[in-house]
């Protein structure tokens, strides 16, 4: 028979990995939400409404992360030039993690809104480990309607139901 005091240890060993202790926020680099338009061959400047909505989506992501408390955002202002140079981060193959690591973050949080049509968009947000590049959590939401509120709602849904619905796994 297993001693009662060993039972929690054995249970912990059976879990896929230890979770971060509650109350210990992880330092996170929160990057601006970007726009992906797969049908556009030549890059074009963003329209004012797209720039505004990307800003709203980024603010909503930050607000949701702050409200949850599992992640502690780091200041990315010193890395602003590098972020602009390496953008778009969703396809730069490791640059988001490198920039985040240089800023002192343990995880990188980045995302994009993919415009499929004028009225159907996908919001995708990913959390990766800065040391390994391993995806810790990710989520996507399809939103119908190209309005300020649908963009914010898509971000809220992904954060609530995919990114931070459960504690983040240990990054080991």
């Amino acid at each position: 028979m297993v001693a009662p005091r060993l039972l929690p240890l054995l249970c912990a060993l059976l879990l896929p990995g230890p979770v971060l202790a509650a109350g210990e926020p992880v330092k996170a680099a929160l990057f601006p939400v970007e726009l992906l338009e797969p049908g556009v061959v030549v890059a074009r400047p963003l329209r004012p409404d797209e720039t505004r909505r990307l800003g709203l989506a980024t603010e909503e992501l930050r607000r949701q992360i702050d409200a949850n408390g599992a992640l502690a955002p780091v200041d990315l202002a010193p890395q602003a030039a590098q972020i602009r140079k390496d953008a778009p981060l969703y396809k730069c193959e490791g640059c988001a993690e490198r920039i985040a690591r240089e800023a002192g973050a343990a995880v990188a949080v980045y995302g994009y809104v993919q415009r499929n049509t004028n009225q159907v968009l996908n919001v995708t947000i990913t959390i990766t480990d800065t040391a390994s590049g391993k995806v810790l959590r990710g989520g996507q939401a399809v939103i119908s309607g190209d309005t300020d509120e649908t963009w914010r709602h898509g971000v809220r849904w992904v954060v609530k139901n995919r990114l931070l619905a459960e504690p983040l796994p240990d990054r080991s």
Side-chain angles (χ1 to χ4, degrees):
M1 180 169 168
V2 176
R5 66 177 192 243
L6 293 178
L7 190 57
L9 175 62
L10 291 174
C11 289
L13 292 173
L14 295 175
L15 293 173
V19 294
L20 296 171
E24 294 180 33
V26 176
K27 289 185 179 181
L30 298 177
F31 292 98
V33 176
E34 299 172 306
L35 182 65
L36 167 62
E37 291 187 288
V40 176
V41 178
V42 178
R44 63 170 180 80
L46 293 174
R47 297 186 322 246
D49 64 315
E50 293 168 335
T51 301
R52 186 184 76 256
R53 288 187 178 134
L54 288 170
L56 291 171
T58 300
E59 288 172 21
E60 190 63 41
L61 177 60
R62 181 170 297 281
R63 198 170 15 260
Q64 295 299 313
I65 295 292
D66 287 344
N68 179 276
L71 301 175
V74 299
D75 181 18
L76 290 176
Q79 286 76 24
Q82 190 65 47
I83 293 168
R84 282 190 303 276
K85 179 181 175 253
D86 290 342
L89 299 179
Y90 58 83
K91 68 177 189 177
C92 69
E93 299 186 21
C95 66
E97 289 78 12
R98 178 182 40 77
I99 294 168
R101 197 171 44 251
E102 290 169 1
V107 297
V109 182
Y110 54 92
Y112 59 90
V113 174
Q114 177 180 343
R115 184 185 306 279
N116 297 322
T117 68
N118 286 337
Q119 293 298 312
V120 178
L121 302 104
N122 295 332
V123 175
T124 302
I125 304 171
T126 306
I127 300 176
T128 58
D129 178 65
T130 61
S132 67
K134 176 182 168 185
V135 174
L136 300 175
R137 193 71 52 84
Q140 180 181 39
V142 177
I143 55 177
S144 297
D146 191 4
T147 68
D148 294 356
E149 183 50 35
T150 58
W151 286 49
R152 286 192 300 256
H153 177 73
V155 169
R156 280 192 303 269
W157 192 91
V158 171
V159 172
K160 177 183 174 192
N161 296 294
R162 295 294 181 257
L163 297 185
L164 301 176
E166 300 172 8
L168 287 171
D170 187 14
R171 296 175 318 279
S172 60

